[in-house]
Amino acid sequence: MTDITIYHNNRCSKSRATLALIEDKTEQLNIVNYLQTPPTLAELNHIITLLGFTSARQLMRTGEAVYKELQLKTEEDEAKLLQAMLDNPKLIERPIVLANGQARIGRPPESVLEII
């Protein structure tokens, strides 16, 4: 089995549920607490590509207060959207699971089972 990486936030119930599902399937698991260890720009771009997204905004938590504070709703510059996520990792949707050259967001948690 391939190594699996989860970008995890322990305060999120969906993230905890996704982690539990993965732990039932494998011991080869890399847990990244992305709020303390945010992904790099290259990693964010890679995740967006693996998810098949056409915009960084698709990976953003648009309901977060910082999203509104930074007035990102009208921002069209992809570099600025990415930088906002790098500067404010709580803007990154969670949990994200990478496995077997694919990625899924664990919403619902069971959606990650198709790639592990």
Side-chain angles (χ1 to χ4, degrees):
M1 181 173 274
T2 304
D3 286 342
I4 299 168
T5 297
I6 180 171
Y7 287 87
H8 177 63
N9 177 350
N10 197 47
R11 296 185 69 194
C12 171
S13 62
K14 297 289 188 204
S15 196
R16 290 191 308 270
T18 301
L19 178 60
L21 280 174
I22 297 168
E23 286 177 329
D24 283 346
K25 301 284 184 195
T26 184
E27 293 178 14
Q28 296 178 318
L29 181 59
N30 178 31
I31 301 169
V32 178
N33 182 337
Y34 73 93
L35 294 177
Q36 274 130 17
T37 308
T40 64
L41 177 60
E43 289 168 332
L44 263 183
N45 278 314
H46 182 66
I47 290 166
I48 290 166
T49 298
L50 289 178
L51 288 167
F53 291 167
T54 57
S55 171
R57 185 179 321 279
Q58 292 172 274
L59 189 59
M60 296 181 96
R61 296 179 54 83
T62 59
E64 292 290 335
V66 69
Y67 183 85
K68 293 172 181 77
E69 289 167 16
L70 296 174
Q71 300 176 337
L72 296 172
K73 184 176 184 176
T74 58
E75 183 59 64
E76 296 299 324
D77 185 331
E78 287 292 311
K80 288 182 180 177
L81 294 173
L82 288 164
Q83 191 61 51
M85 286 190 281
L86 294 172
D87 294 341
N88 305 279
K90 75 181 328 186
L91 284 171
I92 301 170
E93 187 58 84
R94 62 182 183 255
I96 302 166
V97 175
L98 306 178
N100 297 308
Q102 299 180 65
R104 294 291 185 279
I105 295 175
R107 292 185 174 271
E110 296 79 17
S111 68
V112 305
L113 295 175
E114 59 194 41
I115 66 169
I116 59 174

